[in-house]
Amino acid sequence: MFKSLIEKNERRSQLSIMAQYLNTCFMISTVDDEYLISIEKGNVTNVEEGPFVMPSYIFKLTASKNEWLKFLQSTPQPGSHDIIAMLRRKVLKFEGDLHPLMSHLLYFKLLLASLRPTESNNCLLYTSDAADEGLGLDLGGRRINKKKKGGGGG
């Protein structure tokens, strides 16, 4: 399930730039299976599949296999789309020293999301109806209304 994190691709090579000083080892658990993932200079260097007798890791992410499968869908449902959303729903558990995870949170979110099929990784900043109307949206999704100049009512 998580073994393909070691494979090089364009998205992951771009991610390594944002975490170029990150060196850590963490575990992802599906309760039944465990994966020990090593990261050096922002690159995944090793993924080992358990079981492990006494694994050494900095932090651990644990969720059921079913929840990880929901997360890895090409278009996950709300609440399964993000590790923080899964944590909030209490289906994902964080353990250990969370400093490397929280200080590089966007990196880890994008790293795990890179396991999804490629069609879901498109990011649209404008909705189709706003694009049709020529109205922009700010990053919060609110419309930017521009006042029209000229011809008042008389």
Side-chain angles (χ1 to χ4, degrees):
M1 181 182 293
F2 296 98
K3 293 286 281 181
S4 62
L5 279 173
I6 192 93
E7 297 170 4
K8 303 267 187 237
N9 68 26
E10 184 65 26
R11 287 180 285 163
R12 290 195 198 110
S13 64
Q14 292 173 352
L15 282 177
S16 65
I17 295 168
M18 72 186 330
Q20 58 188 334
Y21 301 110
L22 175 64
N23 298 302
T24 192
C25 184
F26 71 102
M27 182 173 283
I28 295 178
S29 174
T30 65
V31 180
D32 297 329
D33 300 316
E34 295 178 325
Y35 301 87
L36 195 59
I37 301 158
S38 301
I39 297 176
E40 293 177 18
K41 297 182 181 176
N43 292 306
V44 177
T45 56
N46 193 23
V47 178
E48 291 180 58
E49 189 170 359
F52 302 101
V53 178
M54 292 183 67
S56 177
Y57 56 85
I58 306 298
F59 64 90
K60 182 177 180 180
L61 307 175
T62 305
S64 70
K65 186 173 186 175
N66 187 36
E67 289 297 329
W68 281 119
L69 289 174
K70 288 179 187 178
F71 173 82
L72 295 172
Q73 290 177 352
S74 61
T75 306
Q77 297 175 348
S80 296
H81 67 289
D82 183 76
I83 59 174
I84 299 299
M86 292 171 65
L87 179 69
R88 186 176 175 121
R89 286 182 36 234
K90 297 183 170 111
V91 296
L92 177 65
K93 183 177 169 185
F94 290 177
E95 299 176 43
D97 179 9
L98 300 182
H99 185 266
L101 172 66
M102 291 306 186
S103 62
H104 295 89
L105 185 59
L106 181 60
Y107 169 81
F108 284 106
K109 287 180 173 189
L110 295 174
L111 178 68
L112 294 174
S114 73
L115 293 168
R116 295 180 181 140
T118 55
E119 63 267 10
S120 71
N121 293 317
N122 297 329
C123 179
L124 300 176
L125 292 179
Y126 298 97
T127 61
S128 60
D129 65 331
D132 292 342
E133 296 174 21
L135 297 175
L137 297 177
D138 70 3
L139 293 179
R142 295 177 296 265
R143 290 183 186 265
I144 300 171
N145 294 322
K146 295 180 182 177
K147 294 183 180 181
K148 295 182 181 179
K149 292 182 179 179

